[in-house]
Amino acid sequence: LYQRTIEIWEKALGSNHPRLATSLLNLASVYADEGRNDEAEALYKRSLVIREAAFGLDSIQVATIVNNLAAIYESEERYGDVEKFAKKALEIAEKTIGPENPDTAKVLRKLGVAYDAQGRYAEADAQFKRALDIFTKALGPSHRYVATVLISQGHLFEHQGRYDEAEQAYKRALAINEKSRGVNHPEVARGLNDL
């Protein structure tokens, strides 16, 4: 359906219309979910060019795509690219939606993961703490996004040999995921594996 939508928008509106960019973004998200990262990356980049021209380099519409590219790079363990794109998304998000917005916190977590993977533990810790604080204040201490940051934080602690702190983070994330998603959810299995 997205492919058909793209064909119609291109014929009716041209190859640089913002509506086309949205359909490209949607199809890219499907490809990313399916693990078709090369195809997703190409569509994200095409959508990015259109949105930058239509909305400006510092728009939230651009930040969304930049953050999605960072997610692809995270899944491919390309942490230098994750850092580059997450920093850009963070800069835009802080300007447009504010530094305390949950969407800003999502980018902070991604940047923390990039720092952790590069052995930049103090920088990773700072990003995770900030993301955790934002999510807790905005969404409550039992939200699944809190659990996601706790898992990332647990990995950081584990990499540093801080096993007691890692265990605490994993246990707290597991309890949140069991309560919010159910005991048979894949995130619960992931949490059990981490623990």
Side-chain angles (χ1 to χ4, degrees):
L1 294 174
Y2 287 139
Q3 288 172 341
R4 180 74 179 122
T5 302
I6 290 166
E7 291 171 15
I8 293 170
W9 287 137
E10 282 182 315
K11 287 179 185 172
L13 303 173
S15 61
N16 294 311
H17 197 279
R19 286 187 179 170
L20 174 63
T22 300
S23 295
L24 292 167
L25 176 63
N26 291 336
L27 183 57
S29 296
V30 170
Y31 288 161
D33 288 345
E34 292 177 341
R36 298 164 61 181
N37 289 349
D38 290 342
E39 293 166 279
E41 181 181 11
L43 292 177
Y44 281 141
K45 285 183 174 180
R46 185 173 168 205
S47 182
L48 180 62
V49 169
I50 295 168
R51 282 194 169 181
E52 284 176 339
F55 301 111
L57 298 176
D58 291 332
S59 70
I60 195 62
Q61 293 88 348
V62 167
T64 300
I65 298 171
V66 171
N67 194 45
N68 289 347
L69 282 164
I72 286 177
Y73 302 142
E74 182 180 354
S75 73
E76 295 177 342
E77 299 180 358
R78 293 169 51 185
Y79 296 111
D81 289 328
V82 174
E83 179 184 355
K84 174 184 169 186
F85 281 85
K87 280 183 172 178
K88 181 176 179 180
L90 180 61
E91 181 182 327
I92 296 168
E94 288 180 326
K95 286 181 190 174
T96 58
I97 59 176
E100 300 299 316
N101 188 291
D103 286 334
T104 301
K106 290 177 188 177
V107 180
L108 288 166
R109 189 209 64 84
K110 203 168 274 130
L111 186 56
V113 168
Y115 289 150
D116 181 21
Q118 297 174 62
R120 295 162 60 185
Y121 300 132
E123 292 168 280
D125 194 39
Q127 302 308 314
F128 293 146
K129 284 179 181 175
R130 187 170 163 213
L132 194 59
D133 184 55
I134 294 168
F135 283 140
T136 301
K137 285 179 183 174
L139 305 173
S142 298
H143 195 277
R144 64 187 175 96
Y145 290 161
V146 170
T148 300
V149 177
L150 287 167
I151 291 167
S152 297
Q153 200 173 42
H155 293 157
L156 170 67
F157 295 151
E158 193 175 342
H159 298 153
Q160 294 177 295
R162 296 162 59 187
Y163 300 117
D164 290 341
E165 292 170 275
E167 181 180 4
Q168 290 173 0
Y170 290 147
K171 283 183 175 179
R172 187 170 162 212
L174 181 61
I176 292 169
N177 280 327
E178 284 177 335
K179 184 176 179 184
S180 66
R181 299 174 187 239
V183 295
N184 292 317
H185 192 277
E187 284 300 312
V188 171
R190 177 179 160 192
L192 290 167
N193 188 61
D194 287 337
L195 188 56

